[in-house]
Amino acid sequence: MSVAKRDLEDTRKVTTHRLIEMKQRGEKISMLTAYDFSMAQLIDQAGMDVILVGDSASNVMAGNVTTLPITLDQMIYHGKSVMKAVKRALVVVDLPFGTYQGNSKEALASAIRVMKETHADCIKLEGGSEIRESIERILCAGIPVMGHLGLTPQSINKFGTYTVRAREEAEAQKLIEDAHLLESIGCFAIVLEKIPAALAARVASELTIPIIGIGAGGGVDGQVLVMHDMLGINKGFSPRFLRRYANLAEDITRAVQNYIEDVKTKDFPNEKEQY
Ligand code: KIV
């Protein structure tokens, strides 16, 4: 039986616990972003394990150059829309830049707002030892936390570039230590973004919690992509790690041009398309 068929037949809600079981039995975890009701419904019904309401909404939904401008209210709006659609997938909402790095009380307040107002299953935030206190406080409130290490787009102004992270020994060592720290304090999973495949595979083999990669090779426990990138809506973005499963930019443009043409030529609506 194909994986997709098996996933569709298994309608049980995906939980953080089930993700750990999937890692234990070597079943890869599928994760994709969604930001609105209609797409979330399609993605959930297709059998996705995890849906991430990513702060990449700042780029692909709001048109910002970075993820930094998106606000907590905007993330909550996207989270609520997605949660209305999803029945099976685990839904993770990103805490946006500036809502958890300041102090742990503020971090907890942000996480509580997300959980209360969206009804999502858990939150994700970027960073390691620097935000330890914030993560611990959120976990103490019973909110599951997914970590995010490697290329952390909220720190783009510090990095100065979106290039591969942790190629150097010191940064790789810090990433390994941070991953162990996140596991030891209770994170249920970690996203590793754009790091060497061998390093990501090492982290995945050393940790018992699932490691979900984006641009981190195949030796991890699951993969995540941004929906607009994998559906080919985002034509200008083609990093090496991206596989496109559709070419919606061309499909949508063609459909819209056909519609314009039909309106202009009075072909639409025809007799059957009116009352
Ligand atoms: O915001 C996002 O879409 C993400 C993924 C790139 C993992 O964090």
Side-chain angles (χ1 to χ4, degrees):
M1 190 187 294
S2 75
V3 172
K5 183 113 194 308
R6 188 178 66 228
D7 287 349
L8 285 174
E9 282 175 1
D10 188 353
T11 54
R12 285 176 305 149
K13 172 80 184 164
V14 179
T15 60
T16 57
H17 186 70
R18 280 187 65 197
L19 295 185
I20 292 170
E21 287 175 350
M22 286 167 79
K23 171 167 181 146
Q24 285 165 352
R25 60 173 185 268
E27 180 183 341
K28 299 283 184 183
I29 296 163
S30 59
M31 174 163 154
L32 187 63
T33 65
Y35 317 95
D36 67 272
F37 176 85
S38 305
M39 292 305 295
Q41 193 168 52
L42 290 174
I43 292 168
D44 188 46
Q45 288 172 355
M48 192 64 57
D49 296 315
V50 184
I51 292 181
L52 170 65
V53 184
D55 60 355
S56 48
S58 179
N59 309 105
V60 297
M61 300 301 288
N64 295 311
V65 175
T66 72
T67 58
L68 276 69
I70 200 159
T71 64
L72 189 58
D73 283 339
Q74 288 167 333
M75 288 305 298
I76 288 171
Y77 165 81
H78 289 297
K80 270 185 186 169
S81 309
V82 166
M83 281 305 294
K84 281 184 194 147
V86 174
K87 293 195 163 51
R88 178 185 173 274
L90 181 88
V91 177
V92 188
V93 176
D94 265 340
L95 287 191
F97 174 69
T99 66
Y100 60 93
Q101 296 95 338
N103 65 63
S104 60
K105 267 194 184 169
E106 197 188 334
L108 177 59
S110 306
I112 287 179
R113 273 203 65 198
V114 167
M115 299 300 283
K116 262 191 187 298
E117 295 179 39
T118 71
H119 303 166
D121 301 301
C122 45
I123 60 103
K124 174 166 85 60
L125 34 69
E126 298 180 3
S129 55
E130 315 77 26
I131 55 159
R132 175 186 186 144
E133 230 182 275
S134 293
I135 297 174
E136 284 180 325
R137 201 159 192 150
I138 294 169
L139 286 165
C140 276
I143 300 170
V145 175
M146 177 180 272
H148 185 154
L149 299 171
L151 177 65
T152 46
Q154 292 179 13
S155 303
I156 185 58
N157 292 316
K158 184 175 92 181
F159 297 148
T161 160
Y162 285 102
T163 193
V164 179
R165 304 303 315 175
R167 279 196 196 277
E168 304 299 327
E169 180 56 30
E171 195 179 337
Q173 198 48 44
K174 158 104 171 78
L175 185 142
I176 293 167
E177 284 164 18
D178 277 342
H180 280 277
L181 172 74
L182 295 183
E183 171 166 273
S184 70
I185 63 178
C187 289
F188 73 89
I190 301 173
V191 166
L192 291 183
E193 181 165 354
K194 227 173 170 185
I195 63 167
L199 175 62
R202 176 176 166 189
V203 173
S205 72
E206 287 182 8
L207 268 57
T208 57
I209 59 172
I211 303 299
I212 316 283
I214 172 165
V220 289
D221 307 304
Q223 299 292 328
V224 55
L225 285 175
V226 169
M227 182 241 299
H228 289 63
D229 302 340
M230 64 82 82
L231 290 180
I233 300 173
N234 224 356
K235 265 173 43 180
F237 185 69
S238 44
R240 176 171 161 172
F241 69 78
L242 176 64
R243 185 179 295 181
R244 286 218 172 88
Y245 289 84
N247 202 341
L248 288 197
E250 277 180 19
D251 292 349
I252 291 170
T253 305
R254 201 176 315 112
V256 172
Q257 284 173 341
N258 287 343
Y259 168 62
I260 294 169
E261 177 69 11
D262 288 353
V263 170
K264 298 284 184 193
T265 60
K266 302 177 188 156
D267 179 76
F268 175 78
N270 64 24
E271 270 159 36
K272 285 189 198 148
E273 291 161 335
Q274 55 191 306
Y275 301 99

